Amino acid sequence: MAVPKRRTSKSKKRMRRTHHRAPAATLAPCPKCGEMRIPHRVCPNCGYYKGERRIEIED
Ligand SMILES: [Zn+2]
């Protein structure tokens, strides 16, 4: 198995990791209320999913 000849420098390690970051959250408008919400999740604004009320929203 290939073995690294040199320890990766702090600089090289950091340069490589400049691309490490969480992707921006994907949001899509709720078909019921139009509020932006995470796809495939119950809408936190109106509580609907697949055209049905799944959770009660209190304000
Ligand atoms: Zn909604």
Side-chain angles (χ1 to χ4, degrees), residues 30-35 37 43-48:
C30 172
K32 186 84 186 167
C33 64
E35 198 74 14
R37 51 124 187 79
C43 175
N45 187 58
C46 64
Y48 270 74

Side-chain angles (χ1 to χ4, degrees), residues 36-53:
M36 293 307 271
R37 51 124 187 79
I38 305 163
H40 312 289
R41 298 290 184 276
V42 171
C43 175
N45 187 58
C46 64
Y48 270 74
Y49 188 70
K50 290 238 168 160
E52 234 182 86
R53 183 128 205 189

Side-chain angles (χ1 to χ4, degrees), residues 16-35:
R16 184 174 66 239
R17 292 182 185 174
T18 56
H19 299 283
H20 291 195
R21 63 179 180 145
T26 307
L27 291 176
C30 172
K32 186 84 186 167
C33 64
E35 198 74 14

